[in-house]
Amino acid sequence: GEDVEQSLFLSVREGDSSVINCTYTDSSSTYLYWYKQEPGAGLQLLTYIFSNMDMKQDQRLTVLLNKKDKHLSLRIADTQTGDSAIYFCAVPFSGGYNKLIFGAGTRLAVHP
Amino acid sequence: KAGVTQTPRYLIKTRGQQVTLSCSPISGHRSVSWYQQTPGQGLQFLFEYFSETQRNKGNFPGRFSGRQFSNSRSEMNVSTLELGDSALYLCASSVRDNEQFFGPGTRLTVL
């Protein structure tokens, strides 16, 4: 079945760039998503990329998609302490409409 | 436009009881999905409703059920609660089959 994998932790210095990586197994996914979760909160949709795109930029966020390697990444430029959170990569289940398969989440810690 | 709302935000129950959680989607959104989030299993899909019909179902036992009303509001029910049902239950709504917007969740604790 569909599987989504992410590294669990990332620590960066304030002002540096953060890169969070994700790999997935199902190549039929049309959209791929990045969500952010802050402590005690629900999931915030950060951005998404359509599968026929290689890159999408949205202010400080850049999403790169390598379909051949089934690899998705999220780059956060000029990382701030407010970016400290858990970031989830999510892929729609094949044929599953709004059924998302989530990675385990990457905890981003930003230190001064 | 108001976001997805979930009630109650926190709930404490004992084993064997049953519980009903409610979700009000963003106005105009007809799809509502439910997810369970636990430290051990992460985020897992429970089911999705669209126009009052269950369109997708995850791999959860029959104790977990849901429904959707004509105004798109949805409820999920868990019967015969077990300790392992303690989790954050998240509801998401969407107007198209791509962007899903999540509510703040209901934190369920089973004692």
Side-chain angles (χ1 to χ4, degrees):
Chain A
E2 177 70 72
D3 192 26
V4 179
E5 293 193 356
Q6 298 178 242
S7 53
L8 295 182
F9 300 101
L10 178 65
S11 179
V12 300
R13 193 183 303 273
E14 193 174 14
D16 287 351
S17 291
S18 307
V19 179
I20 301 170
N21 295 302
C22 168
T23 57
Y24 59 96
T25 55
D26 185 358
S27 62
S28 66
S29 302
T30 52
Y31 292 92
L32 300 101
Y33 303 87
W34 285 103
Y35 282 89
K36 175 184 179 182
Q37 186 175 38
E38 297 183 68
L43 299 176
Q44 174 193 352
L45 177 61
L46 276 180
T47 185
Y48 61 89
I49 187 167
F50 190 55
S51 58
N52 69 353
M53 299 170 67
D54 297 326
M55 185 181 84
K56 179 181 179 182
Q57 189 149 3
D58 185 0
Q59 298 182 329
R60 293 191 297 122
L61 304 178
T62 303
V63 179
L64 295 177
L65 174 61
N66 181 327
K67 282 194 70 175
K68 176 177 167 289
D69 294 338
K70 298 179 186 175
H71 182 269
L72 184 71
S73 68
L74 173 70
R75 178 178 179 270
I76 305 173
D78 187 25
T79 312
Q80 302 298 308
T81 54
D83 295 324
S84 294
I86 301 176
Y87 292 80
F88 292 92
C89 166
V91 174
F93 184 79
S94 180
Y97 299 103
N98 289 313
K99 179 178 179 178
L100 293 179
I101 308 299
F102 285 86
T106 300
R107 184 179 295 275
L108 174 64
V110 183
H111 55 89
Chain B
K1 196 183 264 191
V4 178
T5 58
Q6 292 187 245
T7 56
R9 291 292 313 278
Y10 302 92
L11 208 49
I12 300 175
K13 292 286 188 179
T14 56
R15 277 180 298 176
Q17 288 187 309
Q18 67 129 20
V19 68
T20 299
L21 311 181
S22 181
C23 171
S24 293
I26 294 170
S27 177
H29 288 197
R30 293 166 62 192
S31 168
V32 174
S33 299
W34 288 89
Y35 293 82
Q36 181 196 65
Q37 185 177 28
T38 60
Q41 298 298 316
L43 279 153
Q44 293 186 287
F45 174 83
L46 280 155
F47 29 66
E48 185 223 1
Y49 287 87
F50 181 84
S51 294
E52 302 178 65
T53 300
Q54 188 180 85
R55 193 162 66 164
N56 270 302
K57 191 174 186 308
N59 295 324
F60 278 81
R63 299 185 297 107
F64 292 82
S65 63
R67 59 177 175 168
Q68 186 179 34
F69 302 94
S70 58
N71 62 356
S72 294
R73 189 177 71 84
S74 177
E75 289 180 347
M76 69 163 279
N77 184 277
V78 188
S79 62
T80 319
L81 283 166
E82 301 177 0
L83 295 179
D85 297 333
S86 293
L88 180 67
Y89 289 89
L90 293 161
C91 160
S93 76
S94 68
V95 65
R96 296 180 296 274
D97 290 339
N98 54 356
E99 298 170 282
Q100 284 191 60
F101 297 92
F102 282 78
T106 294
R107 172 78 59 188
L108 171 65
T109 302
V110 182
L111 302 176

